[in-house]
Structures are given as C-alpha cells and as structure tokens.
Amino acid sequence: MTGTEMKSLFISLFILHLSYAKETERTGDIVNIVAFGEGRCSDTSYWMKWHWLPMWRMLGSTGRINFEYHPYGIKTTCVDSDDGTDVVCECHHGARECILNQLQSCVIEALPNFEEYMEVVTCIQGKQNISMAAQSCFDGPTKLDRTKMVECAESRHGRKLFSDQEKVVTQLAPEMDWVPWVLINGKRYKEAEEDLWQFLCDKFIDPRPIHCPKKIIY
Ligand SMILES: *[C@@H]1O[C@H](CO)[C@@H](O)[C@H](O)[C@H]1NC(C)=O
C-alpha cells in the first residue's frame, strides 16, 4: 500500500468511526413510557395536550422515546353480558366516556404504532361525545375511515378491545388509583404528569440530546 492509499484508508476509517459513533448515540437509551387515561377525564386531557404532545414534538425525532397508551382508567368495570356474547362496561365519567375510550381503542388497533395513533387519540381525548370526536379527528394524514372507526367504537368488537385493557392494568399498574397514570421504564412517576419533557431529559435520557431544555438542579 502506498502512503497515499494508507492515508485515504485512515481517513475513511475515521469517517466510518464518526458516523458509527453518531448512530450509537442516536440509538442510545430508549425510554419506555406506558400511560393510562380516561376519555372524559380533564387531567388526562390536559396531560396529553400540554405535556405528552409537546414532549413528543421536542424529543420524538431523537428516536429515544417508546410509548404505549391504554384508554382504561379507574372506577371502570367491564363484565360479560348475561348471554356471554358481549361485554358491558361502566366508566368513571359515564357512558359517553366509555364510547370515547372505545373509539381510542379502535384507533390504536387500526394504526400499528404510537407515532401514528397518538395524534388521533389526543384529538379524541376530552371531546364532548363521539360525534364531535368523529367530526374533528379523522381529517389528518392517517387515512382512517371515519365511518369504520365509529362503527368499531359502537360495536361489540370495540367494547371488547376496550375491556381487554383491564388485563394490562392488572399486569402493569395494579395499584392505579389516579389518571393519568404514567409509567416510565415500568415504574410510576407522579412527576411525569407535570413537565414530562424536562423530567425525561433530566432523569432518563442519557446522553442528553440537544433537543432537551436546560437541566434543572433538583
Ligand atoms: C355532542 O355534543 C355537541 C356539542 O356539545 C352537541 O351539539 C351534540 O348535540 C351532541 N351530540 C349527541 C349525539 O349527543
């Protein structure tokens, strides 16, 4: 190998190293967030609109956030119907809430990942009723069919999708007594209901990406 060839080999190895380092930094720690909420709960609505969504807009592009949402809260019960072919649910904020939770469950089923479903789920969250939600939440880029989604929400399948989430609560959040209930890497943090962006950056995302705010010294 000549001196020049050697030099260019070193340069390409160096560039390779640089891009590899960048890649591993981007795929560094992944933070797993699982949240539970209720369609007509104003604390859940507030959290989604003012904490979850802004955090996602800042940190989503880092590829470090993984998220899962379950529209199932407290004071909610689902039992098999008398003939066993359906489920009958009662929700914390009444029947209107059940149907919104069912609509959110249908959207979550229809869209394969949270990056797609979360904007729609947030839009449905807190709406007056299913017609208001249907009217305003299906014009986005997801191409979900409004009529199909409403049909799903009002069907046995929609009720089943919703009631099935009770198992997830039992499994991941058996002590849930409040919504929104936010788990980070499997553990519940009350602080995550406030400034989620800051909290994740300061406590969980290491190395700290440039998309983070200034660190708060606790
Ligand atoms: C849904 O809510 C809107 C706004 O409050 C109201 O005008 C409409 O009548 C309601 N629809 C149903 C079916 O309750």
Side-chain angles (χ1 to χ4, degrees):
M1 207 181 275
T2 68
T4 320
E5 274 169 354
M6 195 79 132
K7 207 164 143 194
S8 73
L9 180 69
F10 270 118
I11 291 171
S12 26
L13 280 177
F14 181 66
I15 290 171
L16 195 70
H17 171 76
L18 275 186
S19 57
Y20 180 71
K22 208 164 154 230
E23 194 63 33
T24 42
E25 186 187 78
R26 198 180 322 125
T27 56
D29 280 6
I30 303 271
V31 182
N32 281 301
I33 308 172
V34 179
F36 299 85
E38 298 164 0
R40 291 280 307 155
C41 159
S42 53
D43 291 315
T44 305
S45 310
Y46 194 87
W47 181 77
M48 273 193 201
K49 287 178 177 117
W50 298 106
H51 298 300
W52 193 89
L53 220 49
M55 176 287 288
W56 173 246
R57 287 183 180 140
M58 296 311 289
L59 296 178
S61 65
T62 64
R64 310 271 283 277
I65 307 291
N66 194 21
F67 187 72
E68 201 179 289
Y69 183 69
H70 296 279
Y72 198 100
I74 57 168
K75 298 180 183 169
T76 303
T77 53
C78 291
V79 293
D80 286 342
S81 65
D82 290 338
D83 64 3
T85 62
D86 203 344
V87 277
V88 183
C89 297
E90 281 183 20
C91 292
H92 191 183
H93 301 92
R96 258 193 318 168
E97 173 162 280
C98 284
I99 198 108
L100 289 179
N101 289 350
Q102 284 156 212
L103 186 60
Q104 288 173 328
S105 305
C106 292
V107 168
I108 292 169
E109 181 194 47
L111 295 172
N113 61 62
F114 78 90
E115 306 178 9
E116 290 179 273
Y117 71 64
M118 211 44 209
E119 296 267 351
V120 188
V121 165
T122 305
C123 174
I124 295 167
Q125 178 62 34
K127 286 282 182 295
Q128 288 289 319
N129 52 43
I130 190 169
S131 3
M132 297 294 287
Q135 234 173 61
S136 38
C137 301
F138 297 106
D139 294 326
T142 61
K143 308 272 189 297
L144 286 178
D145 186 297
R146 191 188 319 264
T147 315
K148 276 202 186 115
M149 285 296 110
V150 171
E151 272 169 18
C152 171
E154 290 173 338
S155 72
R156 193 174 61 170
H157 180 66
R159 287 188 285 280
K160 184 83 171 69
L161 285 178
F162 168 50
S163 71
D164 277 351
Q165 316 214 25
E166 192 182 350
K167 295 189 200 102
V168 186
V169 175
T170 311
Q171 204 176 29
L172 301 180
E175 69 281 25
M176 178 167 82
D177 60 1
W178 172 265
V179 283
W181 190 264
V182 186
L183 305 175
I184 302 176
N185 296 338
K187 187 171 180 295
R188 190 258 179 149
Y189 292 90
K190 180 83 186 153
E191 299 94 316
E193 290 163 34
E194 296 296 321
D195 198 347
L196 186 62
W197 180 39
Q198 183 87 49
F199 187 61
L200 289 176
C201 281
D202 289 358
K203 301 274 187 185
F204 293 95
I205 308 182
D206 187 38
R208 193 182 184 86
I210 53 162
H211 314 70
C212 279
K214 214 166 158 249
K215 189 169 178 133
I216 289 181
I217 308 298
Y218 290 90

